[in-house]
Amino acid sequence: MSRVDSLQECEDCVPPADAFSVVADETRLAILEALWQLETPARFTDVHDEVGLRDSAQFNYHLGKLTGQFVRKREDGYELRTAGERVVQAILAGSFTEHPRREFELDDPCTECGEPLAAEYEDETLAISCPACGHGHGEYPFPPGGFHERSDAEVLEAFDQRVRHLHCLAKDGVCPECNGRMETTIAREGDCCLGARVRAEHVCRQCHHELCSAVGLALLDQSDVVAFCDEQGIALSETPYWRFEWCVDDDPVTVESEDPWRLTVDVTAGDERLRVTVDGDLSVVDTERA
């Protein structure tokens, strides 16, 4: 079955082409944004006044086209359905209207050579790498709306938190894009943004969204790792992931077996080391202080 066929298999669903045609109108988008701004359920007159369309008949026509799929009508007014919320969120994120390009320097050193890192943003993806040696430190999706009213430092902080969130969901089997089932595999061949020989790859069975990362990135919220770093005076949740070699490289990773998968990740802090063993799903099976 093709990807297009799978989108059409729901008998009660509106065909995708029809659904997108419904919101391909300036007035209807204005209605969705008005319901996003107003306290809902909102009365017909309140939504009409917020949109500012003089012709009530035209407004009623467009609201009627949205009702059912994107807007829910209740006894006390109107409110957005999940599909309507997603349309507004995509607009606010800038995914439909903004295509910025941006470059900026970081104060953090490369984990490979120690030279300053740099970040580059293009095609809704933010990539961190070392200009001196070319070592990658992650390349992940970041909507354009994330730049609004943020300094460079604030953008990087937001990006760090987003990467943590994306991979936390992915390793737990939930697609961060569509909430479908995410499958994790360990890869040892092919190219990736990190240039890693051993990495984790997450692919959604439903929307085919993909993420790849160093194996250690999955440990940022692991309780034993957090406690270990706290003991060494490192606030793991407040330190950008790209400062840790075990989050951006495969040098700290040792493949103990492939059937079943067993990998050890050396989490280092100063002169201390925590050796973490994970399986093919990145679930922790053992920890050992060294």
Side-chain angles (χ1 to χ4, degrees), residues 19-127:
F20 283 113
S21 68
V22 169
V23 293
D25 181 274
E26 184 177 349
T27 300
R28 295 173 194 174
L29 290 176
I31 291 173
L32 295 178
E33 292 188 62
L35 286 170
W36 179 272
Q37 298 291 340
L38 292 169
E39 182 176 346
T40 56
R43 296 180 303 171
F44 178 93
T45 53
D46 292 334
V47 183
H48 179 261
D49 292 344
E50 182 74 15
V51 173
L53 186 65
R54 294 184 180 181
D55 191 330
S56 295
Q58 279 288 326
F59 174 81
N60 189 48
Y61 168 78
H62 288 298
L63 179 58
K65 287 292 185 180
L66 292 168
T67 302
Q69 184 70 15
F70 297 96
V71 173
R72 180 185 294 109
K73 183 179 181 180
R74 298 175 46 172
E75 292 184 2
D76 48 351
Y78 295 86
E79 64 184 9
L80 290 174
R81 297 179 67 91
T82 300
E85 291 178 353
R86 294 292 181 267
V87 172
V88 178
Q89 288 169 345
I91 294 172
L92 294 176
S95 298
F96 292 157
T97 57
E98 302 177 40
H99 306 284
R101 295 185 62 183
R102 188 164 171 181
E103 297 180 358
F104 40 96
E105 297 180 353
L106 282 71
D107 294 330
D108 300 314
C110 171
T111 60
E112 189 78 9
C113 71
E115 292 298 311
L117 294 173
E120 181 177 7
Y121 184 80
E122 187 175 7
D123 293 334
E124 297 193 25
T125 299
L126 200 156

Side-chain angles (χ1 to χ4, degrees), residues 158-177:
F159 175 67
D160 174 51
Q161 294 302 320
R162 177 175 171 80
V163 169
R164 294 166 183 262
H165 174 69
L166 292 178
H167 286 82
C168 180
L169 285 172
K171 76 167 185 178
D172 289 338
V174 180
C175 175
E177 293 296 319

